[in-house]
Amino acid sequence: MCESRAAGAALQWLALVMALLTSGILDGGTAAAVEMSDADCDDLDVSLKPAADFRSIDCESGVERGGMERAGVSSAYIEGQDALSFIVVFHDRAGSHTYLRQTDPRGLFSGTLDLDIEGSWATSSFVSNRFTVRTFFGNLESQPEKVPCFAFVRFIGRVPQTPGYRHMVGGLYCELVPSDEPVTRTRIDQMTAKIKGDML
């Protein structure tokens, strides 16, 4: 049984997603390590609901095909926008001989983000709708002032005789209005409640 690090294939193309987000182009993309393609959002195991709460929702999915350790790890990506915020949700599902190692939101994303402001992560995490959440501040290229954001993650389905899990659902949320205050707990609870899936 092999370990698939943290968010698996989704993290391998997170830098590209973040570049698109921070440039204001929110169309997703294709990573070198995993072939992602447009997906019908209704066919994914995780969704954002109610869809009417979002101005747009775009989805992609793919399967990691390279290397024994990563073979069969599938990933899905959902990006939802409204007038004043965006949310990016990743769902990784380990292959039959792999597992996903648990980590907190900062550990999952801080090493790969160009979005986060150094030193702006909250000192501790908390739980919202069974997701582990950590707030931070981000810089958007389209916005000269810092904006409040949070990262979230939940690991589901412990793989027997390993320290890992079958599923990871995690992602990022940022508001597009500059502020020196972090995203409120009320707003965090509202947004994590919109992430739906049978395994959740």
Side-chain angles (χ1 to χ4, degrees), residues 169-191:
V169 178
L172 305 162
Y173 166 90
C174 286
E175 296 179 350
L176 302 177
V177 178
S179 176
D180 291 328
E181 296 297 320
V183 182
T184 66
R185 285 292 295 266
T186 299
R187 183 60 172 166
I188 290 169
D189 290 344
Q190 288 172 345
M191 294 310 297

Side-chain angles (χ1 to χ4, degrees), residues 3 7 15 31 62 82 91 99 114 118 123 135-136 145 179-180 183 191 200:
E3 168 194 341
D82 62 26
H91 173 214
Y99 61 88
D114 292 329
E118 186 176 352
T123 55
T135 60
F136 66 96
E145 300 177 66
S179 176
D180 291 328
V183 182
M191 294 310 297
L200 298 172

Side-chain angles (χ1 to χ4, degrees), residues 1-199:
M1 181 82 56
C2 296
E3 168 194 341
S4 292
R5 281 284 178 192
L11 273 183
Q12 295 179 353
W13 61 289
L14 178 60
L16 173 60
V17 172
M18 288 300 105
L20 293 168
L21 287 170
T22 57
S23 68
I25 302 169
L26 297 166
D27 293 327
T30 302
V34 60
E35 186 176 326
M36 302 296 288
S37 59
D38 290 341
D40 184 334
C41 295
D42 292 335
D43 292 341
L44 301 181
D45 293 331
V46 174
S47 61
L48 288 172
K49 290 185 179 176
D53 286 357
F54 299 92
R55 183 170 56 187
S56 67
I57 298 178
D58 295 307
C59 299
E60 294 190 6
S61 64
V63 177
E64 172 67 45
R65 303 188 185 281
M68 283 294 292
E69 185 172 323
R70 303 247 352 116
V73 175
S74 64
S75 291
Y77 157 81
I78 305 167
E79 180 267 310
Q81 298 179 67
D82 62 26
L84 298 175
S85 66
F86 65 80
I87 187 169
V88 180
V89 181
F90 296 101
H91 173 214
D92 272 10
R93 184 174 57 233
S96 58
H97 299 293
T98 63
Y99 61 88
L100 304 170
R101 185 176 289 278
Q102 187 173 17
T103 187
D104 80 341
R106 183 178 183 180
L108 194 62
F109 293 113
S110 64
T112 54
L113 285 178
D114 292 329
L115 174 69
D116 59 328
I117 296 172
E118 186 176 352
S120 72
W121 287 86
T123 55
S124 60
S125 10
F126 57 90
V127 175
S128 171
N129 293 306
R130 301 174 73 182
F131 287 93
T132 302
V133 173
R134 201 156 185 179
T135 60
F136 66 96
F137 288 92
N139 274 328
L140 305 176
E141 288 184 7
S142 60
Q143 175 57 258
E145 300 177 66
K146 68 181 181 183
V147 296
C149 303
F150 69 88
F152 56 92
V153 69
R154 182 171 171 202
F155 289 83
I156 307 114
R158 178 55 82 59
V159 178
Q161 301 178 343
T162 78
Y165 292 80
R166 182 67 57 210
H167 297 271
M168 184 284 302
V169 178
L172 305 162
Y173 166 90
C174 286
E175 296 179 350
L176 302 177
V177 178
S179 176
D180 291 328
E181 296 297 320
V183 182
T184 66
R185 285 292 295 266
T186 299
R187 183 60 172 166
I188 290 169
D189 290 344
Q190 288 172 345
M191 294 310 297
T192 57
K194 295 178 191 296
I195 305 166
K196 306 293 186 183
D198 289 343
M199 86 287 291

